[in-house]
Structure formats: C-alpha cells, structure tokens
Amino acid sequence: MTINHPSFGQLPPDRVVVFDTTLRDGEQSPGFSMNLAEKIRLAHALAELGADVIEAGFPIASPGDFDSVEAIAREVRGPVICGLARSAPGDIARAAEAVRPAERARIHTFISTSKLHMKYKLRMTPEDVLAAVTSSVTLARNHVADVEWSAEDGSRTEPDFLARCVEAAIAAGATTINIPDTVGYALPEDLTRIFTDLLRRVPGADTVVLSAHNHNDLGLAVANTVAALRAGARQVECTINGIGERAGNAALEEITMALRTRQDAMPWHTGIASERILRTSRLLSTITGFDVQPNKAIVGRNAFAHESGIHQDGMLKNAQTYEIMTPESVGWTKTSLVMGKHSGRAAFRDKLASMGYAGIGDNALNDAFRRFKDIADRKKIVYDEDIAALVDDELGRDHTRIRFCELDLHAGSRGPARAELTLEVDGVRRSATETGDGPVDATFRAIRTIFPHEATLVLFSVGAVTEGTDAQAKTTVRLSEDGKMVDGQGADTDTIVASARAYVHALNKLMVKRLRTQPAELSATG
Ligand code: KIV
Ligand code: ZN
C-alpha cells in the first residue's frame, strides 16, 4: 500500500528508502572519525549518490557532532537530514536545533526495549520505557513532521512488548519505525518473523515506513536486511563499505546491488545512482585511510576480476557466464588507462569531470595538475585510480598550515638513512636534515625537527593504488595527542614522499582538532 510520508509524499509500495548512517553509526567506530570538512564532503557525495536520508550524527554527543549535523543540514540539499537523539528531552532539543536548517529534517529517537537492556543498561521498567516512547516521539513531533523511532536491541525484544512499543510510537506520531539488530545476533528468519508480526498485529503499522538496521557481527547484516525487505520493511539503514560499530553495518552497495540484480525476486527499487557507488566507496577510504579488502563485494579490487582460465574463457565468449552485474553499473571503468605527460590542463579538467570531480576549484585543480605532471614523468602508465588518489589527496588538504615541499633521501644497507626535508610552515620554507632507523624514521624525525610536537605515531600503513613496481603508494599515518586521534593520508609514486605527505596531513588535522576543546564524548550506541 502507498504510504503518505511527510518527507517523501506518496511513497509507492515498491520504493525502498535508503537511510545512510555512515556519518553516525559508521563514524563512531574506532579509527573512522572524520573532521567537519570531511563529513561535509562525504555528505555531498552521499547526496549525489542518491541516499534518501543522511543520518549526519548524534548532536548531543559533542559540540563537534552538533556542528557537523548543523553544517550538513545547512549545506547539503536533496536528502532528508537526520539527527540522532535518545529519549531525553535535552537530546531531542539538541537534535532539533541541529537539523533545523535542513530542507527536510528528521529526528531519530531511540530507546532500548529488550529485557536485558531495560534491566541492566537503562534500569527502567517496561512501563517506564513505554512512557518514554510516547513522550520522546511526541516531543520530537513538536519540532519536525518526520520522526523516526527505534527500538534498540529490537531483535532481542519480547514480541508482545515490541508490538506495544511500536503501537505507542505510531500513536504518538512516528512516521518511520526502525527495528535494529543492535548486536548482530539475528538470523534472516528472525527478521522475517519480526516484520511479518508487526505488520499483522500493530494497528497503523502499514501506514508508516518500517525500517531495518542490521549489524554484521555474524556476517549476516545484508542477508537480514534482505529478509526484512521481503517481509515488508521499506527502509534500509546502511553504510558505505559496511563500516560501523564493531563488525559494521549492512553495506549500502551490497543491499542496493542485490535489489537491482535480483529484480526477479525483489521487484523494488531505490534512488541510488549505482554508477557512483565505487567513487563514493573510494572517497570514504581516502578520508578514513581504510581500504576495503580486495574480495569485498561490489567495491573490492577483485570484485570483477576473473583470474581462472575457465572463467576468463567463459567471459570472452559471453560476459554473463560469470558476471551477474556489469562492473560499469557500479562505477568501474573498462579502460582505466588515461593520459600521459603530454596531456594539458584542459584535458586533465575534462578527465576529472568524467570521473565525477566536476566542481573542483581552480587552486585544487592547479595543485592536482602539477602533481599529475610529476607522476606522468615518473610513471609509465597513469591510471584513473592514480588520478583519483592524488585529487582526493589534494581535496582533503583544507586546513594547511604545513605544506610538503621536497625530500632528498640517502638510504640503503650501509649506515643510517638520512633525510633532507623542506616543509612550508605558515608560508615560510624550513629545512632539516635527520638520520634515522630507515628512511621513514629519518623523514619523520625531520618533520619533528621542523615542526616540534608532542603527538605520538600510533599507526603507519602503506598500500598500493594500482599494480606494478611503479604504482603509487597510498599511506596512512595516525597520530595521537591528549586522547585526540587523527589520520592523515598521502599518495605518491615514492613511498617515503607519500609517508611524509601523510604525516603532514595528520599534523594539519591535529592542529584543527586542537582548536576545538571538546568535552568528553558520550558513548553513542551502535
Ligand atoms: O544499532 C542500533 O541499535 C542503533 C540505533 C541507535 C538505531 O544504531
Ligand atoms: Zn547501529
């Protein structure tokens, strides 16, 4: 049946609402935190991807969270912008204030409903919880027409009590009802039972959007989401690359491509522009410094690679023999070989536009072009992936007090390595020469000499953007200072230069973080 929804109008029964929580459930997992500029950038990419709802954060959790939800609500047009709130009036007021500038705003309020959570976590009786459901949804509805209510630990909640809570939330004005598998414990048949049961017994359940939010502790998040859809859910809560609390959330790219590929069994559609999936996945990897594993469905490097002779033979005869969807449909390009050292700025700009970087500003374009020329001089073949890595690298450098200028190295098996490094700090070029235990150590020591700081290095990782010995290295450096953690990324054909760039990037981010004195963050829920 068609649902009359305050944000979407008449929602036909075959339309699945995609609720992206990369910036909330995803961002709160260790190592995935993003700064304001990064969150805004990702939110724009999610809007272009076609997410219907962006859960931008948990405004009461910290001033930083509040600011990013508010900034996204102000700047990002298209999707509904949502802020998370517990059932307390203070949480709801803060979420309402943060999402106020949005074109279409949603408050998402939740409370635990399982016996275990009510007794040990909330120390509330079921009747108190029921009262909180009504009061929180009523309060949220005083601020916005679009209110989502979630039963935390819903999959482990007694069916009768869950039905009573859902009924109370609908009666108080909730327009979306979300039943999370908070701890990733459920099996697909549990989801089938839960949604079938709610639709059968709760008055008005068919007039609101039912939603599934599954965690991946048993690797079942996407399967559970599909089961929920087949039992009548029409909103999926998911994240890019499946990032999220613990083992993560259901992956947006997997759910949307399962729906697209299996229209025979699931004749429903989303608003996702699937050709933008890979680019959005890569943007998230660049921002967070975490690549997906090679065999990750849809966006992993090997997801469309056919290695065995039998498969390759079949592919040459007819691609459908081993390919259930085309690589192009999710954004992989057939010919990733691109321009060379003779390509000009106009061709470079065209290339960027074709890769989805249409709105890149002149300064970032010039810097990226200079680096492209440099790479084209040094590297036999420049791939789309190389260009994407260096442009993402440039676009990520918004807060730059320190700039990398040049690096000379003496390394090898004889004697300590020596790094001669020049950085620009607040517009002034400064140089230092340091020795160390290998070239990376010498380079990082030189950075410390030029720009003394207390932060400690807690993670250093190196990956290759493409294949071959002339591939660009993509490096991540994580620094920690006074409990604050930042990740920096760098890309270059020279691994040590990429490492220096990553370190400098992390330092720039740390300085932005220092400017913000945040009170202790609340521990958000999964
Ligand atoms: O996993 C969970 O229960 C959540 C809720 C806040 C929706 O993330
Ligand atoms: Zn969650």
Side-chain angles (χ1 to χ4, degrees), residues 244-281:
E245 195 72 22
R246 306 182 308 280
N249 289 59
L252 180 148
E253 61 277 8
E254 296 178 20
I255 301 170
T256 52
M257 289 318 286
L259 281 174
R260 241 183 107 152
T261 308
R262 294 304 308 271
Q263 282 286 298
D264 57 324
M266 300 183 286
W268 315 306
H269 65 275
T270 68
I272 294 296
S274 67
E275 351 44 85
R276 299 192 77 92
I277 283 179
L278 183 65
R279 168 182 321 171
T280 317
S281 156

Side-chain angles (χ1 to χ4, degrees), residues 24-25 213 215 249 525-526:
R24 199 277 299 169
D25 218 330
H213 175 116
H215 280 272
N249 289 59
T525 184

Side-chain angles (χ1 to χ4, degrees), residues 24-25 84 108 110 150 152-153 178 180 182 213 215 525-526:
R24 199 277 299 169
D25 218 330
L84 183 68
H108 175 191
F110 71 97
S150 281
E152 190 184 2
D153 208 18
N178 182 41
T182 304
H213 175 116
H215 280 272
T525 184

